[in-house]
Amino acid sequence: MTPLSITVTDHDTCSVITLVGELDRLSADRLRRTVERLVDRGRTRLIADVAELTFCDSVGVWALLECHHHAATMDGWLRVAFVHGTLKRILQIIGTTRAQPSTTDLIVLMDR
């Protein structure tokens, strides 16, 4: 088990949330709290860099979706970048990688 490390880097137009390790039922609340703090301070355009995510269970996927919806309530969004492996397949199955997504969809920006 690799504990989840979360690093936030603010840029002019968005904040990048870098996730390293395992996003699961034990760590999902940390991601939710991080996003809540960002949104509370007006950072509503978010990119989750999951290139170094080694595991993501269903609770982790649900947390990503909840974080997107939380940002969306403030006219923002969460995008997921550098998706790979099982997480990529899960996001494809649940329809987050559509060619014509709506503005309320979690969108996978790119994979590795």
Side-chain angles (χ1 to χ4, degrees), residues 22-40:
E22 298 182 4
L23 178 59
D24 56 19
R25 68 176 185 84
L26 299 174
S27 59
D29 281 339
R30 288 187 49 227
L31 174 61
R32 289 184 194 100
R33 286 191 306 271
T34 298
V35 168
E36 286 172 9
R37 285 191 301 270
L38 286 166
V39 170
D40 286 349

Side-chain angles (χ1 to χ4, degrees), residues 41-63:
R41 61 184 185 95
R43 305 296 300 189
T44 60
R45 293 181 178 202
L46 310 171
I47 298 174
D49 177 346
V50 298
E52 298 301 319
L53 203 61
T54 57
F55 177 79
C56 184
D57 68 7
S58 61
V59 177
V61 172
W62 188 251

Side-chain angles (χ1 to χ4, degrees), residues 7-18:
T7 306
V8 176
T9 307
D10 290 333
H11 299 276
D12 290 340
T13 59
C14 68
S15 293
V16 177
I17 305 165
T18 303

Side-chain angles (χ1 to χ4, degrees), residues 83-97:
V83 178
H84 57 92
T86 304
L87 178 59
K88 179 181 176 180
R89 182 68 182 131
I90 291 168
L91 294 177
Q92 288 171 332
I93 289 169
I94 64 175
T96 62
T97 59

